[in-house]
Structure formats: C-alpha cells, structure tokens
Amino acid sequence: MHVLASGVFMQVDLHTHSTASDGKLTPLELVERALACGVDLLAITDHDSTAGFDSLGEASFGSLRLVAGIELSAQWRRQTIHVVGLNIGRDRDAIREAVSVQQAARRTRAGIIAARLTKQGLGDLTARVEELASRISIGRPHIAEMLVESGAVRTIDEAFRKYLGNGRIGDVKDEWASLPQIIAWIRDAGGTAVIAHPEKYQFTRTRLRELVEDFRAAGGEAIEVVSGRQAGSETRTLAALCQQNQLSASTGSDFHQPGQHWAELGRQPAVPDDCRPVWEHW
Ligand code: AMP
Ligand code: MN
Ligand code: MN
Ligand code: MN
C-alpha cells in the first residue's frame, strides 16, 4: 500500500504474524520478506505475544522501520474482538501483564480443546498441545495442523469447518480479558489501540457502530480501515466510521504465510486521503 505522507510515498503494513504465534515465517524471515516487498513501516503483531518482535532485539533493517506491536484477543458482549496494539513499549509492565494473562488463557483453552477433541476419538493431542503451548502463543491453527497431520481431516479449512470454527466442538468460549482492560494495557504500555479487521466479525452496521463507540469510550484510537485486499466499498464504510468517531486509520495485511495473494506484505489498497493515518501519532 502506498500512502502519500509528508510528500513521500510509504508502504505500510501494521498487522503481521510470525512463528511466535500462528505465522509461518520467523521474525527475521518476515522482516526480510517485508524489505523485499518494499515495505517502509512494518509492525509485527503476533497473537497475545511480543516474543517475535523481542527476538529481533535492537537490530536495524535499512530502510525499514519496525514498530512493536501485538494482536490481543478481547471479550466484548461475549464475543471475541481482536485489538491490535501498535508502538508499544515492549518492556513496560502493562504489556508484560497483558501477555502473561492472555497466555495463561490460551494455554487453558488449548488444553480444553485438546481434551474435547480427544473425547471425540480424534486421537490424544494433549501432550503435543502442552509442549507447543510452552514454547509459542498457541491458537486454533496449530491444533488444526495437528488434525491434518494425524489424518483426522485433509485440510486446515476442513479442521475449522468440522471442529474448530464458530459453534463447533473445539470453539471453546474464550476467557479473554475485557475490551476496556485490553485497551488499558495497550495505552499503559504507551501504545495505540486499533480495532483489527472490523469486517471479520460479521456484525450488523448497528453492532459495529456500538463496538466502535465502546472502543472509543475506553480509549481506543484507531480502526483498521484496510485489512488485506478488501473491496473499495468496505474501505469507504470504515473510513466514514473513523470520521464519525474521530478515530485514526490503520492498515495491515494480516499476513500469516507466503502464497496467500490476498495477504501479501504491504500490498493492501491505499487508506483514503481523508483519514488520519495512525502512524502520524508516533
Ligand atoms: P485463535 O487465536 O486461537 O482463536 O485462532 C484464530 C486464528 O485462526 C486467526 O488469527 C486465523 O489466523 C486463524 N483462522 C481463523 N479461522 C480460520 C479458518 N476458517 N481457516 C484457517 N484459519 C483460520
Ligand atoms: Mn492468526
Ligand atoms: Mn485477528
Ligand atoms: Mn492477525
């Protein structure tokens, strides 16, 4: 995505995943791919973890500016919402607390999912889930992979459709922190809170407006107006929502792995000119 900011074209990607959570590239491979794709500003936003970003230390990467980020799962009206935290101070107590609480929730949830799948006769995944959860930020995609490897399903998609997606046996109701708590952690760590991929929740317009209002009231500052290669009509709707609520706009591919053309690094459509880019906060 190219943005005209202070007279310069910038390619920005503020939502990406590494092997610290459910991405396929290591943090270093991710940065190298971003450089090859011409990205100028990159945030690594692993699910409930800063380990990927942290592993890069103080290294610098030429023309690429790296922003510390995280994607936190939050509870809002008994639904799961993803909130991206950008430009966080990674050593701040607030973000350490957030990671520690959310990781405990992820480990517990993964254990429950494994137990339920085992009970269904899909093989005992408990030991593998525990081992993985001790090393990385475990999520449903990892469990889906285990089901593919064991031959219980043929594809990741089938694993979500049959066992892990909405309303399925492995869709364990999350015990994520509340939306205001998630936003407070991000702000206390010096970061900017962004509603991730608003279209993914499949809310009605009214419900989405209510989410945005609650989010803003709790100190949230931006909406991901562009997420991957979405339609222009979606972008315009979200840009209008930003303006109505005096929120800034973010953009990200939600890159998880190479080979998904709709989520290549930095290739999203442009953020509309009439939005205030979130990176102008920093
Ligand atoms: P979790 O954070 O454990 O709830 O897992 C959510 C992650 O699963 C998302 O960030 C996506 O990367 C992935 N995901 C969600 N739905 C699907 C699906 N239908 N097929 C493949 N991956 C999915
Ligand atoms: Mn993911
Ligand atoms: Mn997400
Ligand atoms: Mn994501």
Side-chain angles (χ1 to χ4, degrees):
M1 201 257 332
H2 290 84
V3 180
L4 199 56
S6 12
V8 191
F9 280 104
M10 278 214 312
Q11 207 166 321
V12 180
D13 195 333
L14 298 174
H15 187 156
T16 69
H17 295 273
S18 78
T19 46
S21 64
D22 57 5
K24 293 291 184 199
L25 300 185
T26 65
L28 192 57
E29 287 167 342
L30 185 65
V31 169
E32 282 168 353
R33 190 176 182 94
L35 271 166
C37 289
V39 174
D40 300 297
L41 185 64
L42 176 76
I44 300 181
T45 56
D46 276 306
H47 294 284
D48 301 297
S49 169
T50 57
F53 180 86
D54 290 345
S55 73
L56 296 172
E58 299 297 325
S60 63
F61 301 97
S63 61
L64 185 142
R65 180 173 157 212
L66 199 55
V67 176
I70 192 164
E71 181 176 14
L72 291 163
S73 299
Q75 249 194 94
W76 179 73
R77 299 191 183 174
R78 318 201 68 193
Q79 305 226 30
T80 299
I81 300 297
H82 288 178
V83 179
V84 164
L86 296 174
N87 201 35
I88 50 177
R90 55 176 140 167
D91 293 327
R92 302 278 276 268
D93 288 345
I95 212 67
R96 286 171 194 260
E97 187 185 320
V99 168
S100 146
V101 170
Q102 296 281 100
Q103 284 303 314
R106 279 195 175 269
R107 284 192 295 270
T108 304
R109 170 182 181 247
I112 296 170
I113 296 173
R116 286 195 186 174
L117 296 177
T118 305
K119 223 172 154 186
Q120 284 280 302
L122 295 167
D124 194 349
L125 304 176
T126 314
R128 291 181 63 201
V129 161
E130 268 176 25
E131 194 278 326
L132 201 59
S134 72
R135 287 190 288 119
I136 62 161
S137 183
I138 195 164
R140 285 178 289 167
H142 302 108
I143 299 174
E145 272 170 26
M146 290 178 197
L147 292 176
V148 172
E149 278 163 31
S150 74
V153 292
R154 267 168 303 167
T155 61
I156 300 281
D157 193 53
E158 190 184 342
F160 270 91
R161 244 184 312 114
K162 287 191 174 159
Y163 302 114
L164 298 163
N166 266 353
R168 303 289 173 230
I169 189 163
D171 174 28
V172 172
K173 281 301 161 216
D174 308 323
E175 294 300 327
W176 307 123
S178 71
L179 184 65
Q181 172 67 84
I182 292 286
I183 296 168
W185 273 327
I186 293 170
R187 287 175 65 94
D188 290 350
T192 308
V194 184
I195 299 179
H197 43 61
E199 298 289 341
K200 267 205 182 148
Y201 313 119
Q202 300 188 309
F203 286 169
T204 60
R205 286 289 148 220
T206 306
R207 203 166 170 80
L208 186 57
R209 225 180 307 117
E210 288 167 357
L211 168 64
V212 168
E213 283 163 11
D214 284 0
F215 174 79
R216 185 170 186 272
E221 290 174 283
I223 299 175
E224 219 168 58
V225 163
V226 179
S227 171
R229 291 198 183 165
Q230 70 193 23
S233 55
E234 269 177 36
T235 307
R236 282 190 294 278
T237 302
L238 295 171
L241 208 49
C242 274
Q243 270 139 17
Q244 287 150 15
N245 294 278
Q246 293 92 45
L247 293 169
S248 298
S250 187
T251 175
S253 59
D254 207 0
F255 178 93
H256 281 74
Q257 58 190 304
Q260 297 181 326
H261 65 89
W262 64 92
E264 184 52 271
L265 291 166
R267 296 290 156 84
Q268 319 86 268
V271 168
D273 288 344
D274 50 0
C275 289
R276 183 185 179 205
V278 69
W279 51 95
E280 288 185 0
H281 284 249
W282 313 324

